[in-house]
PDB file of all heavy atoms in Angstrom:
ATOM      1  N   ALA A   1     -10.551-122.312 -84.549  1.00 83.00           N
ATOM      2  CA  ALA A   1     -11.550-122.947 -83.675  1.00 83.00           C
ATOM      3  C   ALA A   1     -11.049-123.036 -82.229  1.00 83.00           C
ATOM      4  O   ALA A   1     -11.789-122.809 -81.275  1.00 83.00           O
ATOM      5  CB  ALA A   1     -11.945-124.291 -84.218  1.00 83.00           C
ATOM      6  N   ALA A   2      -9.719-123.335 -82.114  1.00 83.00           N
ATOM      7  CA  ALA A   2      -9.134-123.447 -80.783  1.00 83.00           C
ATOM      8  C   ALA A   2      -9.158-122.085 -80.087  1.00 83.00           C
ATOM      9  O   ALA A   2      -9.370-121.975 -78.878  1.00 83.00           O
ATOM     10  CB  ALA A   2      -7.692-123.962 -80.885  1.00 83.00           C
ATOM     11  N   ARG A   3      -8.910-120.985 -80.874  1.00 85.00           N
ATOM     12  CA  ARG A   3      -8.970-119.658 -80.295  1.00 85.00           C
ATOM     13  C   ARG A   3     -10.363-119.305 -79.793  1.00 85.00           C
ATOM     14  O   ARG A   3     -10.540-118.718 -78.754  1.00 85.00           O
ATOM     15  CB  ARG A   3      -8.532-118.614 -81.340  1.00 85.00           C
ATOM     16  CG  ARG A   3      -7.053-118.537 -81.558  1.00 85.00           C
ATOM     17  CD  ARG A   3      -6.625-117.130 -81.967  1.00 85.00           C
ATOM     18  NE  ARG A   3      -7.378-116.545 -83.064  1.00 85.00           N
ATOM     19  CZ  ARG A   3      -7.097-116.681 -84.367  1.00 85.00           C
ATOM     20  NH1 ARG A   3      -6.031-117.394 -84.733  1.00 85.00           N
ATOM     21  NH2 ARG A   3      -7.877-116.099 -85.295  1.00 85.00           N
ATOM     22  N   VAL A   4     -11.373-119.752 -80.567  1.00 85.00           N
ATOM     23  CA  VAL A   4     -12.763-119.514 -80.126  1.00 85.00           C
ATOM     24  C   VAL A   4     -13.074-120.260 -78.859  1.00 85.00           C
ATOM     25  O   VAL A   4     -13.671-119.708 -77.931  1.00 85.00           O
ATOM     26  CB  VAL A   4     -13.742-119.977 -81.269  1.00 85.00           C
ATOM     27  CG1 VAL A   4     -15.191-119.883 -80.745  1.00 85.00           C
ATOM     28  CG2 VAL A   4     -13.610-119.099 -82.512  1.00 85.00           C
ATOM     29  N   LEU A   5     -12.581-121.473 -78.729  1.00 83.00           N
ATOM     30  CA  LEU A   5     -12.813-122.270 -77.549  1.00 83.00           C
ATOM     31  C   LEU A   5     -12.129-121.655 -76.332  1.00 83.00           C
ATOM     32  O   LEU A   5     -12.655-121.596 -75.248  1.00 83.00           O
ATOM     33  CB  LEU A   5     -12.292-123.701 -77.790  1.00 83.00           C
ATOM     34  CG  LEU A   5     -12.923-124.821 -76.913  1.00 83.00           C
ATOM     35  CD1 LEU A   5     -14.429-124.858 -77.116  1.00 83.00           C
ATOM     36  CD2 LEU A   5     -12.311-126.152 -77.264  1.00 83.00           C
ATOM     37  N   ALA A   6     -10.923-121.137 -76.563  1.00 84.00           N
ATOM     38  CA  ALA A   6     -10.192-120.491 -75.469  1.00 84.00           C
ATOM     39  C   ALA A   6     -10.876-119.234 -75.016  1.00 84.00           C
ATOM     40  O   ALA A   6     -10.998-118.922 -73.829  1.00 84.00           O
ATOM     41  CB  ALA A   6      -8.724-120.178 -75.872  1.00 84.00           C
ATOM     42  N   ALA A   7     -11.381-118.448 -76.002  1.00 85.00           N
ATOM     43  CA  ALA A   7     -12.101-117.218 -75.656  1.00 85.00           C
ATOM     44  C   ALA A   7     -13.382-117.524 -74.914  1.00 85.00           C
ATOM     45  O   ALA A   7     -13.795-116.776 -74.031  1.00 85.00           O
ATOM     46  CB  ALA A   7     -12.389-116.447 -76.948  1.00 85.00           C
ATOM     47  N   LEU A   8     -14.053-118.638 -75.231  1.00 84.00           N
ATOM     48  CA  LEU A   8     -15.318-119.013 -74.592  1.00 84.00           C
ATOM     49  C   LEU A   8     -15.074-119.196 -73.059  1.00 84.00           C
ATOM     50  O   LEU A   8     -15.925-118.898 -72.230  1.00 84.00           O
ATOM     51  CB  LEU A   8     -15.868-120.263 -75.214  1.00 84.00           C
ATOM     52  CG  LEU A   8     -17.202-120.790 -74.708  1.00 84.00           C
ATOM     53  CD1 LEU A   8     -18.288-119.738 -74.851  1.00 84.00           C
ATOM     54  CD2 LEU A   8     -17.619-122.064 -75.433  1.00 84.00           C
ATOM     55  N   GLY A   9     -13.880-119.713 -72.734  1.00 81.00           N
ATOM     56  CA  GLY A   9     -13.533-119.978 -71.289  1.00 81.00           C
ATOM     57  C   GLY A   9     -13.382-118.692 -70.515  1.00 81.00           C
ATOM     58  O   GLY A   9     -13.323-118.712 -69.260  1.00 81.00           O
ATOM     59  N   GLU A  10     -13.293-117.528 -71.191  1.00 80.00           N
ATOM     60  CA  GLU A  10     -13.114-116.270 -70.467  1.00 80.00           C
ATOM     61  C   GLU A  10     -14.420-115.623 -70.014  1.00 80.00           C
ATOM     62  O   GLU A  10     -14.387-114.633 -69.274  1.00 80.00           O
ATOM     63  CB  GLU A  10     -12.362-115.279 -71.386  1.00 80.00           C
ATOM     64  CG  GLU A  10     -10.959-115.735 -71.786  1.00 80.00           C
ATOM     65  CD  GLU A  10     -10.368-114.763 -72.827  1.00 80.00           C
ATOM     66  OE1 GLU A  10     -10.951-113.694 -73.101  1.00 80.00           O
ATOM     67  OE2 GLU A  10      -9.273-115.118 -73.344  1.00 80.00           O
ATOM     68  N   PHE A  11     -15.535-116.169 -70.456  1.00 79.00           N
ATOM     69  CA  PHE A  11     -16.842-115.649 -70.056  1.00 79.00           C
ATOM     70  C   PHE A  11     -17.443-116.418 -68.908  1.00 79.00           C
ATOM     71  O   PHE A  11     -17.333-117.644 -68.858  1.00 79.00           O
ATOM     72  CB  PHE A  11     -17.779-115.686 -71.278  1.00 79.00           C
ATOM     73  CG  PHE A  11     -17.422-114.725 -72.400  1.00 79.00           C
ATOM     74  CD1 PHE A  11     -16.580-115.184 -73.426  1.00 79.00           C
ATOM     75  CD2 PHE A  11     -17.865-113.438 -72.409  1.00 79.00           C
ATOM     76  CE1 PHE A  11     -16.220-114.307 -74.464  1.00 79.00           C
ATOM     77  CE2 PHE A  11     -17.558-112.573 -73.443  1.00 79.00           C
ATOM     78  CZ  PHE A  11     -16.732-113.018 -74.482  1.00 79.00           C
ATOM     79  N   ASP A  12     -18.157-115.691 -68.021  1.00 69.00           N
ATOM     80  CA  ASP A  12     -18.790-116.334 -66.881  1.00 69.00           C
ATOM     81  C   ASP A  12     -20.130-117.011 -67.314  1.00 69.00           C
ATOM     82  O   ASP A  12     -20.609-117.897 -66.650  1.00 69.00           O
ATOM     83  CB  ASP A  12     -19.091-115.309 -65.777  1.00 69.00           C
ATOM     84  CG  ASP A  12     -17.820-114.788 -65.169  1.00 69.00           C
ATOM     85  OD1 ASP A  12     -16.814-115.549 -65.110  1.00 69.00           O
ATOM     86  OD2 ASP A  12     -17.819-113.615 -64.685  1.00 69.00           O
ATOM     87  N   ARG A  13     -20.688-116.477 -68.333  1.00 74.00           N
ATOM     88  CA  ARG A  13     -21.989-117.003 -68.833  1.00 74.00           C
ATOM     89  C   ARG A  13     -21.910-117.109 -70.358  1.00 74.00           C
ATOM     90  O   ARG A  13     -21.030-116.554 -70.956  1.00 74.00           O
ATOM     91  CB  ARG A  13     -23.158-116.060 -68.443  1.00 74.00           C
ATOM     92  CG  ARG A  13     -23.125-114.732 -69.102  1.00 74.00           C
ATOM     93  CD  ARG A  13     -24.459-113.979 -68.869  1.00 74.00           C
ATOM     94  NE  ARG A  13     -24.452-113.293 -67.606  1.00 74.00           N
ATOM     95  CZ  ARG A  13     -25.477-112.638 -67.126  1.00 74.00           C
ATOM     96  NH1 ARG A  13     -26.633-112.604 -67.817  1.00 74.00           N
ATOM     97  NH2 ARG A  13     -25.438-112.004 -66.000  1.00 74.00           N
ATOM     98  N   PRO A  14     -22.831-117.939 -70.976  1.00 81.00           N
ATOM     99  CA  PRO A  14     -22.770-118.084 -72.441  1.00 81.00           C
ATOM    100  C   PRO A  14     -22.781-116.728 -73.152  1.00 81.00           C
ATOM    101  O   PRO A  14     -23.768-115.970 -72.975  1.00 81.00           O
ATOM    102  CB  PRO A  14     -23.986-118.942 -72.753  1.00 81.00           C
ATOM    103  CG  PRO A  14     -24.255-119.682 -71.487  1.00 81.00           C
ATOM    104  CD  PRO A  14     -23.851-118.771 -70.359  1.00 81.00           C
ATOM    105  N   PRO A  15     -21.790-116.424 -73.948  1.00 82.00           N
ATOM    106  CA  PRO A  15     -21.726-115.122 -74.607  1.00 82.00           C
ATOM    107  C   PRO A  15     -22.457-115.096 -75.946  1.00 82.00           C
ATOM    108  O   PRO A  15     -22.629-116.152 -76.574  1.00 82.00           O
ATOM    109  CB  PRO A  15     -20.205-114.919 -74.841  1.00 82.00           C
ATOM    110  CG  PRO A  15     -19.712-116.294 -75.061  1.00 82.00           C
ATOM    111  CD  PRO A  15     -20.556-117.210 -74.180  1.00 82.00           C
ATOM    112  N   PRO A  16     -22.904-113.934 -76.375  1.00 82.00           N
ATOM    113  CA  PRO A  16     -23.495-113.833 -77.733  1.00 82.00           C
ATOM    114  C   PRO A  16     -22.446-114.220 -78.805  1.00 82.00           C
ATOM    115  O   PRO A  16     -21.278-114.010 -78.602  1.00 82.00           O
ATOM    116  CB  PRO A  16     -23.864-112.334 -77.891  1.00 82.00           C
ATOM    117  CG  PRO A  16     -23.956-111.860 -76.456  1.00 82.00           C
ATOM    118  CD  PRO A  16     -22.971-112.659 -75.659  1.00 82.00           C
ATOM    119  N   VAL A  17     -22.931-114.783 -79.887  1.00 85.00           N
ATOM    120  CA  VAL A  17     -22.050-115.237 -80.950  1.00 85.00           C
ATOM    121  C   VAL A  17     -21.149-114.141 -81.450  1.00 85.00           C
ATOM    122  O   VAL A  17     -19.930-114.295 -81.567  1.00 85.00           O
ATOM    123  CB  VAL A  17     -22.896-115.810 -82.137  1.00 85.00           C
ATOM    124  CG1 VAL A  17     -22.048-116.073 -83.383  1.00 85.00           C
ATOM    125  CG2 VAL A  17     -23.612-117.083 -81.739  1.00 85.00           C
ATOM    126  N   ARG A  18     -21.721-112.964 -81.718  1.00 81.00           N
ATOM    127  CA  ARG A  18     -20.940-111.841 -82.253  1.00 81.00           C
ATOM    128  C   ARG A  18     -19.823-111.451 -81.334  1.00 81.00           C
ATOM    129  O   ARG A  18     -18.643-111.253 -81.732  1.00 81.00           O
ATOM    130  CB  ARG A  18     -21.852-110.648 -82.533  1.00 81.00           C
ATOM    131  CG  ARG A  18     -21.153-109.412 -83.065  1.00 81.00           C
ATOM    132  CD  ARG A  18     -22.107-108.265 -83.180  1.00 81.00           C
ATOM    133  NE  ARG A  18     -22.770-107.938 -81.934  1.00 81.00           N
ATOM    134  CZ  ARG A  18     -22.193-107.275 -80.933  1.00 81.00           C
ATOM    135  NH1 ARG A  18     -20.926-106.888 -81.018  1.00 81.00           N
ATOM    136  NH2 ARG A  18     -22.858-107.058 -79.812  1.00 81.00           N
ATOM    137  N   LEU A  19     -20.114-111.328 -79.991  1.00 81.00           N
ATOM    138  CA  LEU A  19     -19.123-110.959 -79.023  1.00 81.00           C
ATOM    139  C   LEU A  19     -17.978-111.965 -78.916  1.00 81.00           C
ATOM    140  O   LEU A  19     -16.806-111.624 -78.836  1.00 81.00           O
ATOM    141  CB  LEU A  19     -19.793-110.732 -77.662  1.00 81.00           C
ATOM    142  CG  LEU A  19     -18.902-110.193 -76.568  1.00 81.00           C
ATOM    143  CD1 LEU A  19     -18.344-108.849 -76.922  1.00 81.00           C
ATOM    144  CD2 LEU A  19     -19.698-110.093 -75.257  1.00 81.00           C
ATOM    145  N   LEU A  20     -18.345-113.239 -78.964  1.00 84.00           N
ATOM    146  CA  LEU A  20     -17.359-114.296 -78.872  1.00 84.00           C
ATOM    147  C   LEU A  20     -16.397-114.290 -80.047  1.00 84.00           C
ATOM    148  O   LEU A  20     -15.126-114.372 -79.892  1.00 84.00           O
ATOM    149  CB  LEU A  20     -18.038-115.695 -78.768  1.00 84.00           C
ATOM    150  CG  LEU A  20     -17.083-116.896 -78.736  1.00 84.00           C
ATOM    151  CD1 LEU A  20     -16.185-116.870 -77.510  1.00 84.00           C
ATOM    152  CD2 LEU A  20     -17.885-118.187 -78.830  1.00 84.00           C
ATOM    153  N   LEU A  21     -16.913-114.127 -81.245  1.00 85.00           N
ATOM    154  CA  LEU A  21     -16.102-114.119 -82.442  1.00 85.00           C
ATOM    155  C   LEU A  21     -15.205-112.881 -82.494  1.00 85.00           C
ATOM    156  O   LEU A  21     -14.057-112.933 -82.941  1.00 85.00           O
ATOM    157  CB  LEU A  21     -16.983-114.221 -83.697  1.00 85.00           C
ATOM    158  CG  LEU A  21     -17.742-115.505 -83.863  1.00 85.00           C
ATOM    159  CD1 LEU A  21     -18.580-115.506 -85.134  1.00 85.00           C
ATOM    160  CD2 LEU A  21     -16.773-116.711 -83.914  1.00 85.00           C
ATOM    161  N   GLU A  22     -15.713-111.752 -82.004  1.00 82.00           N
ATOM    162  CA  GLU A  22     -14.863-110.576 -81.912  1.00 82.00           C
ATOM    163  C   GLU A  22     -13.711-110.794 -80.973  1.00 82.00           C
ATOM    164  O   GLU A  22     -12.563-110.395 -81.218  1.00 82.00           O
ATOM    165  CB  GLU A  22     -15.693-109.356 -81.450  1.00 82.00           C
ATOM    166  CG  GLU A  22     -16.619-108.770 -82.518  1.00 82.00           C
ATOM    167  CD  GLU A  22     -17.453-107.661 -82.015  1.00 82.00           C
ATOM    168  OE1 GLU A  22     -17.267-107.262 -80.809  1.00 82.00           O
ATOM    169  OE2 GLU A  22     -18.273-107.127 -82.746  1.00 82.00           O
ATOM    170  N   ARG A  23     -13.991-111.403 -79.818  1.00 82.00           N
ATOM    171  CA  ARG A  23     -12.927-111.636 -78.801  1.00 82.00           C
ATOM    172  C   ARG A  23     -11.878-112.587 -79.377  1.00 82.00           C
ATOM    173  O   ARG A  23     -10.703-112.438 -79.137  1.00 82.00           O
ATOM    174  CB  ARG A  23     -13.578-112.236 -77.543  1.00 82.00           C
ATOM    175  CG  ARG A  23     -12.588-112.567 -76.408  1.00 82.00           C
ATOM    176  CD  ARG A  23     -12.137-111.328 -75.673  1.00 82.00           C
ATOM    177  NE  ARG A  23     -13.205-110.612 -75.051  1.00 82.00           N
ATOM    178  CZ  ARG A  23     -13.653-110.903 -73.837  1.00 82.00           C
ATOM    179  NH1 ARG A  23     -13.069-111.859 -73.114  1.00 82.00           N
ATOM    180  NH2 ARG A  23     -14.658-110.196 -73.284  1.00 82.00           N
ATOM    181  N   ALA A  24     -12.305-113.621 -80.119  1.00 84.00           N
ATOM    182  CA  ALA A  24     -11.374-114.628 -80.624  1.00 84.00           C
ATOM    183  C   ALA A  24     -10.754-114.222 -81.966  1.00 84.00           C
ATOM    184  O   ALA A  24      -9.826-114.914 -82.470  1.00 84.00           O
ATOM    185  CB  ALA A  24     -12.106-115.976 -80.789  1.00 84.00           C
ATOM    186  N   GLU A  25     -11.262-113.109 -82.571  1.00 84.00           N
ATOM    187  CA  GLU A  25     -10.809-112.670 -83.893  1.00 84.00           C
ATOM    188  C   GLU A  25     -10.875-113.845 -84.887  1.00 84.00           C
ATOM    189  O   GLU A  25      -9.953-114.186 -85.585  1.00 84.00           O
ATOM    190  CB  GLU A  25      -9.370-112.152 -83.836  1.00 84.00           C
ATOM    191  CG  GLU A  25      -9.210-110.894 -82.950  1.00 84.00           C
ATOM    192  CD  GLU A  25      -7.792-110.408 -82.889  1.00 84.00           C
ATOM    193  OE1 GLU A  25      -6.871-111.078 -83.386  1.00 84.00           O
ATOM    194  OE2 GLU A  25      -7.589-109.288 -82.354  1.00 84.00           O
ATOM    195  N   ALA A  26     -12.100-114.424 -84.931  1.00 84.00           N
ATOM    196  CA  ALA A  26     -12.360-115.567 -85.769  1.00 84.00           C
ATOM    197  C   ALA A  26     -13.638-115.357 -86.588  1.00 84.00           C
ATOM    198  O   ALA A  26     -14.429-114.442 -86.284  1.00 84.00           O
ATOM    199  CB  ALA A  26     -12.413-116.843 -84.952  1.00 84.00           C
ATOM    200  N   SER A  27     -13.909-116.243 -87.516  1.00 85.00           N
ATOM    201  CA  SER A  27     -15.106-116.161 -88.334  1.00 85.00           C
ATOM    202  C   SER A  27     -16.132-117.214 -87.884  1.00 85.00           C
ATOM    203  O   SER A  27     -15.795-118.058 -87.045  1.00 85.00           O
ATOM    204  CB  SER A  27     -14.748-116.416 -89.823  1.00 85.00           C
ATOM    205  OG  SER A  27     -14.277-117.739 -89.950  1.00 85.00           O
ATOM    206  N   ARG A  28     -17.305-117.175 -88.453  1.00 86.00           N
ATOM    207  CA  ARG A  28     -18.326-118.142 -88.128  1.00 86.00           C
ATOM    208  C   ARG A  28     -17.968-119.561 -88.560  1.00 86.00           C
ATOM    209  O   ARG A  28     -18.461-120.520 -87.999  1.00 86.00           O
ATOM    210  CB  ARG A  28     -19.681-117.745 -88.777  1.00 86.00           C
ATOM    211  CG  ARG A  28     -20.291-116.528 -88.103  1.00 86.00           C
ATOM    212  CD  ARG A  28     -21.671-116.150 -88.689  1.00 86.00           C
ATOM    213  NE  ARG A  28     -22.217-115.020 -88.017  1.00 86.00           N
ATOM    214  CZ  ARG A  28     -23.009-115.092 -86.916  1.00 86.00           C
ATOM    215  NH1 ARG A  28     -23.301-116.245 -86.416  1.00 86.00           N
ATOM    216  NH2 ARG A  28     -23.484-113.983 -86.387  1.00 86.00           N
ATOM    217  N   ALA A  29     -17.059-119.642 -89.554  1.00 86.00           N
ATOM    218  CA  ALA A  29     -16.610-120.977 -89.965  1.00 86.00           C
ATOM    219  C   ALA A  29     -15.924-121.723 -88.835  1.00 86.00           C
ATOM    220  O   ALA A  29     -16.076-122.926 -88.660  1.00 86.00           O
ATOM    221  CB  ALA A  29     -15.679-120.821 -91.154  1.00 86.00           C
ATOM    222  N   ALA A  30     -15.163-120.957 -88.018  1.00 84.00           N
ATOM    223  CA  ALA A  30     -14.466-121.582 -86.863  1.00 84.00           C
ATOM    224  C   ALA A  30     -15.475-122.114 -85.864  1.00 84.00           C
ATOM    225  O   ALA A  30     -15.301-123.168 -85.270  1.00 84.00           O
ATOM    226  CB  ALA A  30     -13.501-120.572 -86.222  1.00 84.00           C
ATOM    227  N   LEU A  31     -16.599-121.346 -85.698  1.00 85.00           N
ATOM    228  CA  LEU A  31     -17.610-121.774 -84.781  1.00 85.00           C
ATOM    229  C   LEU A  31     -18.338-123.016 -85.290  1.00 85.00           C
ATOM    230  O   LEU A  31     -18.699-123.928 -84.528  1.00 85.00           O
ATOM    231  CB  LEU A  31     -18.626-120.615 -84.576  1.00 85.00           C
ATOM    232  CG  LEU A  31     -19.609-120.727 -83.447  1.00 85.00           C
ATOM    233  CD1 LEU A  31     -18.867-120.910 -82.096  1.00 85.00           C
ATOM    234  CD2 LEU A  31     -20.485-119.511 -83.344  1.00 85.00           C
ATOM    235  N   LYS A  32     -18.518-123.066 -86.591  1.00 86.00           N
ATOM    236  CA  LYS A  32     -19.151-124.249 -87.203  1.00 86.00           C
ATOM    237  C   LYS A  32     -18.305-125.518 -86.950  1.00 86.00           C
ATOM    238  O   LYS A  32     -18.842-126.573 -86.705  1.00 86.00           O
ATOM    239  CB  LYS A  32     -19.314-124.012 -88.711  1.00 86.00           C
ATOM    240  CG  LYS A  32     -20.420-123.027 -89.088  1.00 86.00           C
ATOM    241  CD  LYS A  32     -21.811-123.651 -88.854  1.00 86.00           C
ATOM    242  CE  LYS A  32     -22.891-122.717 -89.315  1.00 86.00           C
ATOM    243  NZ  LYS A  32     -24.238-123.262 -88.949  1.00 86.00           N
TER     244      LYS A  32
END
C-alpha cells in the first residue's frame, strides 16, 4: 500500500487504477 501511495505522488493528475497499480507493482488489495 505504501508503494502505491508513493507511485501516486509521481503523477500530475489522478491516474487510472490500472496504470497506478502497474507502476507500483501492486494488487487491488493494496489499493483497498
Side-chain angles (χ1 to χ4, degrees):
R3 283 210 310 269
V4 172
L5 204 58
L8 183 58
E10 297 174 9
F11 292 91
D12 294 330
R13 66 169 85 183
V17 169
R18 179 185 55 79
L19 184 61
L20 176 63
L21 295 178
E22 284 178 2
R23 179 76 61 88
E25 296 180 351
S27 65
R28 289 184 179 270
L31 194 57
K32 287 287 184 186

